[in-house]
Amino acid sequence: ILNVEQSPQSLHVQEGDSTNFTCSFPSSNFYALHWYRWETAKSPEALFVMTLNGDEKKKGRISATLNTKEGYSYLYIKGSQPEDSATYLCALNQGGKLIFGQGTELSVKP
Amino acid sequence: EAQVTQNPRYLITVTGKKLTVTCSQNMNHEYMSWYRQDPGLGLRQIYYSMNVEVTDKGDVPEGYKVSRKEKRNFPLILESPSPNQTSLYFCASSGLPTDTQYFGPGTRLTVL
């Protein structure tokens, strides 16, 4: 059974701090890597889809990088704000079959 | 408005009583998928569909059935629900299997 690991499990930061989390996955049979943002009582919201080794994507203060050869992706949040508080999920996409990590729960204190 | 809808949003039922959770998308997406979310276990894929009449098992298909007779609809069927199927269920769709997936609002199911 393939495993997608995310670390840390949870993170508490102060407003203005920059932070990053990791998603690790087996590098074989790679099609795409998804990042989602999931707020309590809402549905997961897509952040990025990454497919190529070396990919870097950015959306406002959030960016992500991908290394398919070593099997990891980093998500960075620059200058965290309280509204960034959420669970951040990554998912390995194997051509339609998705395996999610357990998520990193981010809490940003004002 | 482009969206994925699920019905019902909340359901309490009893063991063994067949139920269907509907999922519909208005984006002409080919790919659709069902997930369940349980505390400590994250999101797990139940079934997915690449197109009409094409479905495949995800990681946790036992106890579930799906059908894809039309492109827009992908119902999840529990023929004989059991308490271990109490969970939060999400439907999602995307244009292609590796595209960004759009999630429905979720269905909270309780099986007594």
Side-chain angles (χ1 to χ4, degrees):
Chain A
I1 297 176
L2 288 176
N3 239 4
V4 175
E5 303 281 346
Q6 289 188 248
S7 62
Q9 247 184 323
S10 64
L11 200 52
H12 299 267
V13 302
Q14 290 293 132
E15 182 175 355
D17 288 350
S18 292
T19 185
N20 65 84
F21 350 116
T22 305
C23 174
S24 303
F25 53 87
S27 52
S28 57
N29 295 322
F30 176 87
Y31 284 79
L33 193 284
H34 299 252
W35 280 101
Y36 289 91
R37 181 174 179 276
W38 193 4
E39 286 182 73
T40 304
K42 293 188 178 180
S43 307
E45 177 193 339
L47 287 173
F48 306 112
V49 179
M50 310 178 79
T51 55
L52 298 175
N53 185 44
D55 247 356
E56 287 189 35
K57 299 222 171 173
K58 191 174 179 184
K59 193 174 187 176
R61 292 178 292 99
I62 305 177
S63 60
T65 61
L66 177 67
N67 184 324
T68 59
K69 291 183 179 178
E70 295 183 38
Y72 65 83
S73 176
Y74 293 142
L75 188 79
Y76 301 91
I77 303 180
K78 186 178 177 182
S80 304
Q81 300 295 308
E83 57 264 31
D84 294 329
S85 297
T87 296
Y88 291 82
L89 298 170
C90 70
L92 179 67
N93 188 325
Q94 297 186 301
K97 185 164 183 174
L98 264 76
I99 302 165
F100 281 83
Q102 299 263 18
T104 293
E105 189 177 349
L106 175 66
S107 173
V108 183
K109 289 186 180 176
Chain B
E1 183 194 347
Q3 60 183 351
V4 179
T5 56
Q6 295 179 228
N7 280 294
R9 296 288 313 281
Y10 303 91
L11 179 60
I12 300 175
T13 188
V14 294
T15 299
K17 188 175 180 184
K18 181 179 177 179
L19 67 93
T20 299
V21 184
T22 65
C23 173
S24 184
Q25 50 90 7
N26 62 1
M27 296 170 276
N28 200 36
H29 282 166
E30 291 189 353
Y31 176 91
M32 297 184 77
S33 183
W34 276 104
Y35 303 92
R36 60 178 288 175
Q37 193 271 328
D38 301 290
L41 296 175
L43 271 173
R44 293 179 293 168
Q45 192 176 39
I46 304 171
Y47 269 97
Y48 61 99
S49 169
M50 301 284 210
N51 213 326
V52 175
E53 302 292 2
V54 180
T55 62
D56 267 303
K57 294 178 182 179
D59 274 341
V60 288
E62 296 78 21
Y64 304 95
K65 282 174 61 175
V66 291
S67 71
R68 188 93 183 273
K69 293 185 170 59
E70 308 163 278
K71 202 172 189 178
R72 63 181 293 129
N73 296 323
F74 189 43
L76 180 70
I77 303 153
L78 285 73
E79 295 268 1
S80 183
S82 62
N84 64 15
Q85 292 178 299
T86 292
S87 187
L88 176 59
Y89 291 86
F90 285 103
C91 178
S93 74
S94 65
L96 296 173
T98 51
D99 285 347
T100 292
Q101 292 192 15
Y102 295 89
F103 281 76
T107 295
R108 187 163 290 283
L109 172 67
T110 302
V111 183
L112 302 173

